[in-house]
Amino acid sequence: MRILLALAIGVTGVLATLLALAQQAPPSRNVDDVTTTTIPKPSTTTTTIRVTTTTTLPKATATAEICGNCVDDDGDGLTDFEDPACCADRQIFPMAIDTGRIRPHRRTSLLGLKSLLAAQGLSDVNPLREDVFLQIRAARGDEVFCAKVPASRFVAKRPGVFRFRDRKHLVGTARGIDRLAVGIARNGVRFRAFARHAEFTSPRDRPLTVTVSFRNPLAAEGGNRCSTAQDLQTNRRGALRVP
């Protein structure tokens, strides 16, 4: 009897203990009661920045006129001694033409010129030291003819008379000139030029400007001297006859 009473008491204690543990345990959770929280991945934003690079080029420097190369270097429409950069107003003298002849034939022209370059002011020119230039230009047009006779090709025949001859046309810069002479006298400086086949064709029915210049290649351009004649009218065939 005592044994049965002890077992009953022991079972009752075990049940009480189990009941107490059951009350302390957290309530069971159903699957439906579970809330799932999804944390979004951080988004990546790509920002494109356009960088514009501006390159500033230096301004082109205007080319200065180079005197004596028969080229319009500065592009102002005036070549060499027609340009004030090579012959300023104080360096220019009016030319009086005694006779002038131009007769075109094919790609060349017969050229004859006899003139008084200046009555005063040019008496100190010296073709033995100064190159001599002959230029012909059409009004409202391009350069027609530009020839250079180097000082080294002149010969002094007598005091005040300087001559150049090139019948075989060995001097390329002379552009076909056969003979050229400069005479210095008390009454002025005279000029003559002749070419059977000068390397140019004369424009038709256009006024021409003729310029004769003296330039010392070893001196400054301020020492250049020029003589010019304007409004020499060609006919419809491009020929010129003065007078």
Side-chain angles (χ1 to χ4, degrees):
M1 189 70 177
R2 291 180 179 178
I3 295 172
L4 293 173
L5 181 61
L7 289 172
I9 294 172
V11 171
T12 302
V14 171
L15 292 173
T17 301
L18 292 174
L19 180 61
L21 291 175
Q23 291 177 349
Q24 292 178 0
S28 60
R29 302 173 67 180
N30 295 328
V31 175
D32 296 337
D33 295 335
V34 176
T35 301
T36 302
T37 303
T38 302
I39 302 175
K41 295 182 179 180
S43 61
T44 301
T45 302
T46 302
T47 303
T48 302
I49 301 175
R50 307 182 74 180
V51 179
T52 302
T53 302
T54 302
T55 302
T56 303
L57 298 177
K59 294 182 179 180
T61 304
T63 303
E65 184 71 16
I66 300 173
C67 306
N69 64 353
C70 289
V71 176
D72 178 17
D73 302 284
D74 57 8
D76 64 352
L78 301 174
T79 301
D80 286 2
F81 305 98
E82 300 160 349
D83 196 307
C86 297
C87 250
D89 290 342
R90 61 180 179 79
Q91 301 165 266
I92 300 176
F93 300 85
M95 181 191 307
I97 294 183
D98 299 323
T99 58
R101 300 287 186 273
I102 295 177
R103 188 167 65 243
H105 48 85
R106 296 183 181 179
R107 297 183 179 180
T108 62
S109 297
L110 182 142
L111 171 66
L113 182 64
K114 179 180 178 182
S115 64
L116 175 67
L117 299 183
Q120 295 179 344
L122 286 179
S123 59
D124 61 340
V125 296
N126 187 348
L128 296 181
R129 294 195 304 264
E130 298 170 302
D131 300 333
V132 179
F133 295 81
L134 172 60
Q135 294 179 246
I136 301 175
R137 180 179 187 77
R140 305 180 304 278
D142 297 328
E143 190 81 353
V144 174
F145 183 67
C146 182
K148 169 188 173 181
V149 177
S152 60
R153 301 308 299 259
F154 277 97
V155 175
K157 286 297 184 178
R158 59 180 183 272
V161 178
F162 307 90
R163 291 181 180 175
F164 162 78
R165 292 180 181 272
D166 187 22
R167 294 180 178 177
K168 294 183 179 181
H169 302 153
L170 301 178
V171 182
T173 58
R175 302 288 304 278
I177 292 178
D178 297 302
R179 302 189 301 271
L180 189 147
V182 177
I184 303 173
R186 292 182 179 179
N187 60 349
V189 178
R190 295 197 168 272
F191 176 87
R192 290 187 180 187
F194 176 79
R196 293 186 182 277
H197 298 282
E199 297 175 7
F200 74 95
T201 55
S202 181
R204 300 178 180 182
D205 196 22
R206 299 281 290 279
L208 303 178
T209 297
V210 176
T211 303
V212 176
S213 310
F214 299 85
R215 177 179 183 266
N216 186 339
L218 302 179
E221 304 300 349
N224 300 338
R225 268 78 58 82
C226 308
S227 178
T228 182
Q230 300 178 345
D231 299 326
L232 306 175
Q233 186 70 38
T234 62
N235 62 20
R236 62 183 181 179
R237 295 182 180 179
L240 173 72
R241 186 179 182 90
V242 179

